[in-house]
Amino acid sequence: MVLRVMLVSAMAVALPAQERVKETIISDQASASWAFEGKAEVKEVAAEGIPGGRALAVEVPARGVNPWDIQARLKLKEGFAAGDTVTFGFYARAIAPDPGKDTARVNVRVQRDAAPYDAALEGALEIGPDWRFHCLAGPAKIALEPAQLAVSVQLAGDKHAIAFGPYLATRIPAVAQGARSGLPCGQPVG
């Protein structure tokens, strides 16, 4: 089952002037939406302080057999070359972490959208109770064109509830290595 809910992205990125030339936004902010797959309850909620003021709350009722049994998926409008620095970031907060935990852990993959589902970039993020802009960044292991690629935020690693706000993905060409993303990675809201 796929549930699609649009989040109007009022997210403005203020990249430093020297970085603006090097960093390209590769997500489509005009149609930024999260698509959820698997058996999870998703509802729109108010989200004070984040761009757009709305979020999608996702309740994962139980740990899955695989982390990807429940996932948030999206497409990007532009691809990247192997070696380019790719940054995928999104506003999120843990509404209810798995019992006994302080954070909700998710796996994030920027990957090929068909077999063999190889990842250009992957890693785990810990989402705490406060709104923050969480990022996964690094050099792409493989090149992917837009038609080949998807982003997967795998949610079924635990029983938890997480709210997701707007997202943004960027690319910095490999020739500009050393340049840093202008995204507010790790920053709290407010």
Side-chain angles (χ1 to χ4, degrees):
M1 177 182 93
V2 175
L3 176 62
R4 250 187 221 285
V5 180
M6 295 294 288
L7 284 177
V8 177
S9 180
M11 191 168 173
V13 177
L15 300 176
Q18 65 191 32
E19 302 299 326
R20 194 173 299 135
V21 174
K22 297 174 186 166
E23 187 167 24
T24 303
I25 296 172
I26 60 174
S27 51
D28 185 359
Q29 294 315 103
S31 64
S33 66
W34 291 98
F36 293 90
E37 297 179 353
K39 295 182 179 183
E41 183 180 323
V42 180
K43 62 183 175 183
E44 189 173 346
V45 296
E48 189 175 324
I50 68 168
R54 307 295 295 167
L56 296 174
V58 182
E59 185 177 338
V60 177
R63 181 184 178 107
V65 174
N66 304 297
W68 58 85
D69 289 346
I70 297 173
Q71 58 184 308
R73 292 180 50 84
L74 55 100
K75 294 287 204 169
L76 300 178
K77 71 176 181 174
E78 291 184 31
F80 44 81
D84 286 356
T85 296
V86 175
T87 302
F88 174 69
F90 56 96
Y91 285 97
R93 75 177 199 87
I95 299 168
D98 196 46
K101 296 183 180 177
D102 295 329
T103 61
R105 184 181 182 100
V106 299
N107 295 325
V108 179
R109 290 176 53 96
V110 179
Q111 67 185 37
R112 187 178 313 273
D113 198 22
Y117 298 101
D118 45 340
L121 182 66
E122 64 185 322
L125 297 174
E126 297 287 337
I127 299 173
D130 299 319
W131 282 111
R132 285 194 179 273
F133 193 77
H134 299 273
C135 289
L136 180 67
K141 296 176 194 170
I142 57 174
L144 290 172
E145 294 297 320
Q148 300 175 303
L149 96 100
V151 177
S152 169
V153 180
Q154 301 171 348
L155 305 172
D158 277 322
K159 173 186 176 178
H160 48 221
I162 302 171
F164 289 90
Y167 62 83
L168 200 61
T170 66
R171 168 182 41 85
I172 299 174
V175 295
Q177 290 305 313
R180 294 177 50 179
S181 175
L183 295 180
C185 299
Q187 296 300 310
V189 173

